[in-house]
Amino acid sequence: MTETLSSAEEAEEGATPKRQYAPLAANENREDYSLRFAAHSFRKWSPFVVATTALGGIAYLADFAIGASIVLSYGFTSGVLAILAAAVVIFVTGVPIAAACAKSGVDMDLLTRGAGFGYFGSTLTSLVYASFTVIFFSLEGSIMGQAFELALGIPLPIGYLLATLIVLPFALYGMGAVAKMQTWTQPLWLAGLVLPFVVVLVREPGKFAEFAHFGGTEGTGSGFSAIGFGLGMGVALSLIGQIGEQADYLRFMPEKTVENKRSWWAAVLAAGPGWVILGAAKQIGGALLAFLALGVVGKTHALEPIAPYLEAVKPALGPVALTFAALFVVVSQIKINTTNAYSGSLSFANFFSRVLHKHPGRVWYVLVNCGIALALMEFGAFGFLNKILGFYSNVAIAWIGAVCADLVIAKPLGLSPRYIEFKRAYLHKINPVGFGSMVVASAVSITAYFGAFGPFLAAFSPLLALVIAVVLVPVLAVATRGKYYLARPNTVAGPDVDVDLRATHTCSVCGDPYELPDVADCAKQDGPICSLCCTLDNTCHDVCQTTGPVALGLPTARTT
């Protein structure tokens, strides 16, 4: 971010502070309202287009590798049940989050701020979410690198670099470019996804029955194992953070009206929690392909999606099978890693804007996200798939569980505000309700994960995190009487206030117009301030929270 005046110059002779954003940060066609409420005027896409774009982001083949890893390790019965159970948890927790983000026009970070974590409390979850995008970018990039090596003979280190560079043009240009790319590539991807299973069904239908009796490669047997079920579920639950990436697109949903109510809800459910239905099917399908290829390519390569996929389509495609398989993998990885890079840039931008009070623009954080992911690829993160995801899920599910509990328990019971307040001017730095619940749940579950409470709780540590987080949120909300949700009331927000949300107000710092939900009354400026300028101010010391409200000039504001 470029500022026209330093803090000292701003104060000199009572000059009004002015901030001029750098070109990249000021261009909303690239910024996509990162760090902000998504303005109604910017939400120009139909529910169908938003849903298609969001669902395009689940084209990842890590599902194939995750499912293969679970079933090969713990057998068909325990592995498949673990995948399905995790899918149920992910779907149930995803519904209220997806609906809240689509209705309120906020991403996962802004939602977390107002759902019990506070202004700085949510910086921790920004890092958790950023870690999710980095981990999965590295896993997906590794899969693309494997495809380059098999199809073109490109060494893995160079393939990893190419896999990183190839997604940058899409991620840098934001929602407009991403929507077009996801829509254009969807038919090819869907055809490539179903092809190997059609080939197996036609040529070797008996293999499905053999797969159902598969006992795994580690001696667990084909029967049910509670420990194997728990460990497999923990790995699959690492995907719970995917709802954040879905929300990054769902915030651009148009306003729900009487006319579009059905299509709106269909899009939110399909593109929000609905991703996990296809995701679970892909995990089981990936396990099937790995099982079929196990005797040909060996266990190591069976976990790499390109090799089992190639073996499955060879009978149908013959000499062009390798080319088609590589093309499918590359298209899939471009689709998902564009989303990983895009969502990661939002999360990193949210974190650093609050910590450093600087915002050079979302696009710079695309480079940060991709650079860290590339380093993980080069260090061989793919080889530690189960361990990385099993550990990560303990923290991710504690976060999602705390947010979900606020939305479905605390808000309906009136223990927290019924709307999503994300602006610094109205929030405490730390809200012990959500933040405390997540920290406690994560600490206990990680301790259990490392075996402190025995092998059973070690296997089910992510579920332990979920239960603790969901229970603690209403308990702490009651214990604190909800007083840490708002530092001061916002008199023009909430479901009982009738105002024109589309009305724009000029920020007294940057001079740009913003819709009402993105504006606060600033005591330091004695006028309205946009949420981002409020975030970046490091000299006000939150004076607004101890000073009376400043009139925003809202002639339509009235309580109904």
Side-chain angles (χ1 to χ4, degrees):
M1 181 194 67
T2 301
E3 300 181 11
T4 58
L5 297 173
S6 68
S7 299
E9 291 170 331
E10 289 173 352
E12 185 178 356
E13 296 180 0
T16 301
K18 296 295 179 182
R19 176 177 286 111
Q20 181 180 356
Y21 291 105
L24 289 178
N27 184 352
E28 290 299 353
N29 288 325
R30 294 192 181 186
E31 272 294 278
D32 281 351
Y33 289 83
S34 64
L35 319 188
R36 296 183 181 279
F37 161 82
H40 293 91
S41 60
F42 191 74
R43 301 184 220 172
K44 56 183 179 293
W45 297 276
S46 69
F48 175 78
V49 171
V50 174
T52 300
T53 305
L55 286 173
I58 65 167
Y60 50 83
L61 295 184
D63 265 341
F64 279 27
I66 290 171
S69 177
I70 293 172
V71 174
L72 262 60
S73 296
Y74 310 115
F76 175 85
T77 302
S78 300
V80 170
L81 287 177
I83 291 170
L84 295 177
V88 171
V89 173
I90 292 172
F91 187 92
V92 170
T93 57
V95 171
I97 291 174
C101 289
K103 179 181 178 181
S104 302
V106 296
D107 64 14
M108 196 67 202
D109 178 76
L110 301 188
L111 175 67
T112 301
R113 290 187 202 176
F117 281 73
Y119 181 71
F120 274 110
S122 63
T123 57
L124 174 62
T125 63
S126 289
L127 285 183
V128 171
Y129 183 31
S131 298
F132 174 87
T133 64
V134 167
I135 289 171
F136 279 92
F137 189 109
S138 68
L139 296 179
E140 300 295 341
S142 297
I143 293 171
M144 192 189 299
Q146 294 158 6
F148 286 146
E149 182 183 45
L150 185 61
L152 302 174
I154 297 174
L156 282 177
I158 299 176
Y160 294 156
L161 177 61
L162 292 176
T164 302
L165 295 176
I166 201 170
V167 304
L168 289 180
F170 302 103
L172 291 174
Y173 275 91
M175 178 66 175
V178 174
K180 291 178 182 178
M181 182 274 293
Q182 298 288 17
T183 301
W184 293 343
T185 56
Q186 203 78 328
L188 174 62
W189 178 75
L190 286 172
L193 178 65
V194 301
L195 178 62
F197 304 105
V198 172
V199 173
V200 173
L201 182 63
V202 171
R203 296 180 59 89
E204 300 179 285
K207 291 295 183 180
F208 289 92
E210 291 182 26
F211 178 52
H213 293 89
F214 178 56
T217 60
E218 299 181 7
T220 55
S222 58
F224 177 77
S225 164
I227 299 296
F229 170 77
L231 291 171
M233 190 177 179
V235 174
L237 280 174
S238 65
L239 291 165
I240 198 167
Q242 179 64 33
I243 190 62
E245 295 196 344
Q246 304 307 112
D248 286 339
Y249 295 120
L250 287 173
R251 65 194 176 109
F252 297 122
M253 283 288 291
E255 187 175 4
K256 184 176 66 173
T257 63
V258 175
E259 292 75 18
N260 72 359
K261 183 177 180 179
R262 290 186 178 181
S263 62
W264 192 92
W265 271 112
V268 168
L269 292 177
W275 75 266
V276 78
I277 298 174
L278 181 57
K282 286 164 58 190
Q283 290 175 54
I284 297 172
L288 170 66
L289 297 184
F291 162 74
L292 296 176
L294 190 59
V296 179
V297 303
K299 182 180 178 180
T300 299
H301 291 298
L303 295 175
E304 301 172 356
I306 179 66
Y309 186 94
L310 176 60
E311 292 302 318
V313 299
K314 267 183 182 179
L317 300 182
V320 299
L322 179 57
T323 301
F324 184 86
L327 179 62
F328 171 69
V329 171
V330 170
V331 169
S332 298
Q333 303 322 95
I334 290 175
K335 287 168 73 67
I336 178 54
N337 266 354
T338 295
T339 294
N340 281 328
Y342 177 77
S343 295
S345 69
L346 296 177
S347 191
F348 277 117
N350 272 302
F351 175 79
F352 285 110
S353 68
R354 275 172 285 172
V355 173
L356 302 178
H357 297 284
K358 298 290 182 182
H359 181 55
R362 178 191 67 81
V363 297
W364 291 105
Y365 293 111
V366 171
L367 304 179
V368 172
N369 184 277
C370 293
I372 298 173
L374 177 59
L376 287 179
M377 287 184 235
E378 301 293 358
F379 282 114
F382 189 85
F384 302 96
L385 179 68
N386 268 12
K387 292 183 178 179
I388 292 174
L389 299 183
F391 174 82
Y392 175 80
S393 64
N394 290 280
V395 182
I397 200 168
W399 163 41
I400 297 297
V403 172
C404 184
D406 179 83
L407 295 174
V408 302
I409 301 175
K411 291 191 183 306
L413 292 179
L415 301 175
S416 70
R418 295 181 183 272
Y419 71 101
I420 305 301
E421 182 56 77
F422 61 89
K423 295 182 287 295
R424 171 190 178 186
Y426 304 107
L427 294 174
H428 286 286
K429 289 181 172 61
I430 300 289
N431 186 341
V433 176
F435 183 80
S437 298
M438 175 185 169
V439 170
V440 172
S442 298
V444 174
S445 65
I446 290 173
T447 303
Y449 175 79
F450 284 108
F453 307 134
F456 185 82
L457 284 182
F460 287 90
S461 60
L463 279 186
L464 181 63
L466 177 64
V467 171
I468 293 174
V470 170
V471 170
L472 274 184
V473 164
V475 169
L476 291 178
V478 171
T480 60
R481 299 181 181 179
K483 65 181 180 179
Y484 293 102
Y485 278 92
L486 294 177
R488 65 185 177 107
N490 185 347
T491 58
V492 292
D496 298 326
V497 177
D498 182 16
V499 296
D500 181 6
L501 297 179
R502 295 173 181 265
T504 59
H505 302 270
T506 301
C507 174
S508 56
V509 177
C510 66
D512 293 325
Y514 295 98
E515 293 181 358
L516 178 59
D518 206 26
V519 175
D521 52 311
C522 179
K524 180 186 175 184
Q525 304 300 329
D526 194 28
I529 186 172
C530 71
S531 61
L532 183 53
C533 284
C534 183
T535 290
L536 300 178
D537 194 319
N538 61 355
T539 62
C540 71
H541 306 296
D542 297 326
V543 66
C544 63
Q545 296 182 8
T546 57
T547 304
V550 176
L552 290 179
L554 300 173
T556 60
R558 60 183 175 83
T559 301
T560 57

